[in-house]
Each structure stands twice: as C-alpha cells, then as structure tokens.
Amino acid sequence: MSISTRPRLPRVHLAVGLTFGLLFLMLVRAQPAAAASTLDPISDPGRMSLVAGDFESRWRAIDAIEASGAVTAYDSLSPLLSGNGHTGYPYLCHGNQNLNTSYRVDGFCWNRDDDTTGEWVPQGITGSHDAQPGGTWLNKYVYIASWHSRNTGSDEFARISVVDNDGGDSTIYNHIMLVDPYWETDTTANFRAVGKAGTPLAGHADGISWYGNKLFVASGHQIQVYDLRHLWRMSGNGQESVGISGGKSSARWHNYALPMIGLYANGAKGDPCTDLNPCMNSLSLDRTGTDALITTEFRRSTGGAPVVRWPLNSTDALLDTDGTTNYRGSVHATAGYRTPVWAVQGTATDGTYFYFSGTCPEYADRDPDDSATADLPYCIHWAKPGTSPHVLTYGPPLIQNLSWAPSSGRLWGINERIAAAPGVRSVFSLDPPN
C-alpha cells in the first residue's frame, strides 16, 4: 500500500455576503471569556487503569466466521472508497453555524436523511489524519464518524460512517454496523449487535480514534477495539436481524459490518463514574511525544471532568499494557487533568493547547432539560495546562467530539443536534491561531 505524504491542502468554502451586523456579532461573541478555574493536573494519574479483555476468543470467532463463507471478508477499506454510497455535501451546507470565519472554516454535511434522523445520532469524528502521520489512507482523505442508535431501547446498536471527502463536488460515505463476534456453541461462531440487550457491551458509540489499522470507540467504561483489516460484507441488507442464520449474514439493513476484536475497560456497563475509574465519553488521538489516546468524561451540568492520557504502542497499534502482550494486562494512564469547562463533549490537543467542546460561559446556568437549550451555540474552548480556558469560537449546537489533524494543523469537530427541519448537523474544521 502506497501512502502519500503530501501536506493537506484544505478545501475551503467560505461564506460570502455576511452582513455587517452578523460580522459584528461574531467578533463580539468570540472575545475570550475566562473560565472559573484552570486546567489543573491530576496527581498520580497512574492509579487510573484499564484492563484488556477477551481479544483471543474474538479473534478465533472472527476466523471461524470468515472461514464459514457467511460473510465476504475484505482486508482493507477499499470497497468503501470506490465512489459508491450515500451522497453528502462537500461544504458546510448550513452555513458557518456561528464558527469564526477568520479561522478558514470548512467541512462537509450528511444527506438529508442522516441530517434529520432521530434514529441515529452522530457522536465522534476521526480521520486518516489520525491513522497515518502523512494524513491520508489509500491515497485519500478519509473520515470516520461514530453514531449511536435511539430507535429501540437504549443504545442497542452502534455504527460508523466511512467518508470519502477527497475532493470534487460530492462527499460519498457508507454506514457500517459495529458487531461483536462470539461463540454460540463450542464449535459455532456468530455475531450480534454491539449494545444488544442482555450483553455486557455498551452500545453508546461515542468518541472514536483511528490509529494504524485499528479503530478505537469509547463507550463509557469501555474503549472498544476494531480492526479495519476485517471488513465484512453481508449476504443481504434486507433484514432487521443481526447475525448469521441458515448460513446467511445480516446486519440490520446495513451492507457492511465491522467486528470488535477486544476492549479495554475500567468497569461494567452502567457502573458509576468515579475519580479512580472515570467514564470515557470523548476520544481523540495525540501524536505529540509518545502516541496516546485522550479521553474525557461528560459531566452534564458542571466542570471538573477528568482528561486522561492512555499510552499507545506503535508496533501493534494497541494500547500499551503491562502484560506480555498488549491484548493482556492493564493500561496505566500517563497524565491527567481536570477541565473547568462545563458539559465537555470532546477534547483534543495539538501538543501545546487543549481544545474542549462544551457549554458557552454565558449559557452554563441554563437548564439542560429545557428544549430551547439544545438549540444554543456550543463553544470550543482552548487552554494550556495550568491556565484558564477561553473561548476560541462559538459553533453549532451540541458539538460532540474533536480531532486534531497534525498534517494540516486543523481542528475537526462534529455536532449531533436533531432537527427534523431543516437539519443542523455537520462535520467542520477550522485553522486556529498559533
């Protein structure tokens, strides 16, 4: 596989014709607003740990399922980057959504169905800028978003979207169901939906990071691991069921599924979030110094959320454990902070600054159960460790995860707001000042 290392040349679609009043409002609102306290380090972060879980059994199940012929297995993402799939928009179709245009905002949008659906809700964003230092994958600029399901029960399904936003007049993407391979009997393997009722796996696919051939998905007390060298095409996409029956595979109307290979956890689904075992809701990749995953806990109506750094091993693209292999043993945090930003949904770092998506200072006391609150702008805050966060820019409502692209020096974000008409969801990027 030949990976280009050419620098990212961002495709920028800047809005024109802003009225003086709107421009004035943007400039006024983007002024720094000091937080109540500073981004403070956590003492003894190594006390926080994650335990590797059940990689080997899943690997054997994956091998058995692929050998059975029930799925068509691919060892790369190439079938998803052939120009076929859903058609989105290679620009910010809802305008700049309060983003400060001096930061050269850009991005893309989903098609109308995915923009307005209440069944699936976007959460995390990552891209080939995480996967490879050069910023591309299979010589393309590729992005992956995570979604959780709100259709039946609570988070019983999870999916990702693989997006080809490499240029041209359209953005093409495909949805892939996340599944869990398991042993149905001593000799028969099957798979089920991640989050299926009665199983220990959390289905709220939240933060997401792409590192080499691995994909990490945060879900509360779990960081789930997927291997992009095991992409499965289903026998058909006409059934609601998930799994293998009669030698045929199905993934709830999806053409493709991606099987989990293992996980790292500090608790069970539904356990409380504690200082020793924080929940992991946002997820981003940090390539400054030793590669690591950055997690943040979501606290709805307060600040003080822990920001934790978990070390990666570049040899096998797994988290770095104290075991004889990285699919056994425990991962110990190497650094941690507490952010005073309220309701943090995403965190990323460029090695100097940390960026947080969270409540804007003037809206911090708004009732989160008030439906009007969901339509308020979210803010991207930034701070160096030991300093007070300030507002970098306002943005669309309910910004979720963030991702830093070192190859281009751009910050990426995604928002989740559900609005049946006209829709307000987008994936955006901006070029923050040095």
Side-chain angles (χ1 to χ4, degrees):
M1 178 174 63
S2 175
I3 302 298
S4 169
T5 58
R6 63 186 173 90
R8 172 64 159 141
L9 298 176
R11 178 179 50 210
V12 178
H13 302 273
L14 297 180
V16 296
L18 288 173
T19 64
F20 175 81
L22 177 58
L23 180 59
F24 177 78
L25 177 63
M26 290 290 298
L27 292 174
V28 169
R29 292 172 69 183
Q31 295 302 308
S37 58
T38 58
L39 180 61
D40 294 327
I42 294 175
S43 61
D44 195 11
R47 295 176 63 242
M48 294 181 285
S49 64
L50 307 173
V51 178
D54 209 13
F55 280 82
E56 292 157 293
S57 176
R58 287 188 174 91
W59 279 331
R60 291 194 303 270
I62 288 170
D63 288 342
I65 290 168
E66 292 181 352
S68 73
V71 302
T72 301
Y74 298 93
D75 62 2
S76 78
L77 293 178
S78 56
L80 307 178
L81 304 175
S82 62
N84 298 312
H86 302 285
T87 301
Y89 305 94
Y91 51 85
L92 293 177
C93 60
H94 302 303
N96 294 315
Q97 293 185 301
N98 304 307
L99 294 164
N100 189 331
T101 57
S102 68
Y103 301 149
R104 300 202 311 151
V105 297
D106 193 9
F108 60 87
C109 288
W110 313 107
N111 67 19
R112 178 166 179 78
D113 288 345
D114 290 321
D115 192 358
T116 60
T117 180
E119 178 179 356
W120 291 99
V121 182
Q123 296 288 279
I125 186 67
T126 184
S128 51
H129 58 256
D130 282 334
Q132 295 276 96
T136 61
W137 192 263
L138 298 177
N139 296 316
K140 288 178 173 285
Y141 294 103
V142 183
Y143 302 90
I144 301 181
S146 57
W147 305 64
H148 77 93
S149 173
R150 300 174 70 245
N151 187 48
T152 59
S154 176
D155 295 323
E156 290 189 11
F157 306 99
R159 77 180 186 190
I160 61 171
S161 299
V162 175
V163 184
D164 180 354
N165 194 47
D166 203 48
D169 296 327
S170 62
T171 293
I172 305 297
Y173 60 94
N174 285 271
H175 298 310
I176 298 92
M177 177 71 75
L178 298 181
V179 299
D180 180 31
Y182 69 101
W183 287 97
E184 201 167 39
T185 70
D186 289 342
T187 58
T188 305
N190 206 331
F191 64 87
R192 58 198 168 197
V194 171
K196 179 178 173 61
T199 67
L201 293 176
H204 190 105
D206 209 324
I208 187 169
S209 285
W210 183 2
Y211 185 64
N213 49 42
K214 303 299 193 305
L215 195 67
F216 297 90
V217 178
S219 191
H221 284 294
Q222 303 169 359
I223 296 180
Q224 300 166 359
V225 190
Y226 300 82
D227 192 327
L228 298 176
R229 295 171 298 184
H230 294 278
L231 174 67
W232 292 347
R233 186 173 181 90
M234 300 293 97
S235 302
N237 62 2
Q239 295 184 358
E240 183 178 8
S241 61
V242 179
I244 300 171
S245 178
K248 301 293 184 181
S249 57
S250 176
R252 192 174 169 80
W253 302 304
H254 288 67
N255 290 323
Y256 295 93
L258 188 68
M260 184 186 303
I261 65 167
L263 74 159
Y264 301 93
N266 62 7
K269 180 170 64 174
D271 281 356
C273 309
T274 68
D275 285 348
L276 191 60
N277 296 311
C279 289
M280 298 168 289
N281 303 112
S282 83
L283 188 64
S284 64
L285 181 67
D286 179 9
R287 283 192 179 273
T288 60
T290 303
D291 296 343
L293 294 179
I294 305 293
T295 64
T296 313
E297 181 183 300
F298 172 65
R299 295 186 175 183
R300 190 176 187 188
S301 300
T302 186
V307 180
V308 186
R309 197 173 197 272
W310 306 98
L312 287 160
N313 188 301
S314 60
T315 302
D316 56 15
L318 293 172
L319 284 170
D320 199 20
T321 75
D322 58 11
T324 55
T325 71
N326 288 321
Y327 50 86
R328 297 176 183 170
S330 297
V331 186
H332 297 275
T334 57
Y337 303 90
R338 292 200 180 276
T339 174
V341 176
W342 282 40
V344 168
Q345 303 254 36
T347 301
T349 182
D350 61 9
T352 300
Y353 291 93
F354 280 86
Y355 302 89
F356 304 99
S357 59
T359 304
C360 298
E362 64 268 43
Y363 303 137
D365 60 350
R366 289 291 296 263
D367 180 2
D369 292 322
D370 181 353
S371 59
T373 301
D375 290 317
L376 295 173
Y378 240 50
C379 279
I380 297 177
H381 311 249
W382 61 335
K384 295 179 180 179
T387 68
S388 295
H390 291 69
V391 172
L392 173 68
T393 180
Y394 288 70
L398 297 179
I399 299 173
Q400 297 295 292
N401 279 237
L402 302 173
S403 177
W404 176 257
S407 53
S408 63
R410 294 181 69 84
L411 181 69
W412 285 83
I414 188 171
N415 78 311
E416 71 168 357
R417 176 66 176 134
I418 302 167
V424 293
R425 290 174 175 168
S426 63
V427 177
F428 62 87
S429 71
L430 53 88
D431 185 8
N434 294 326

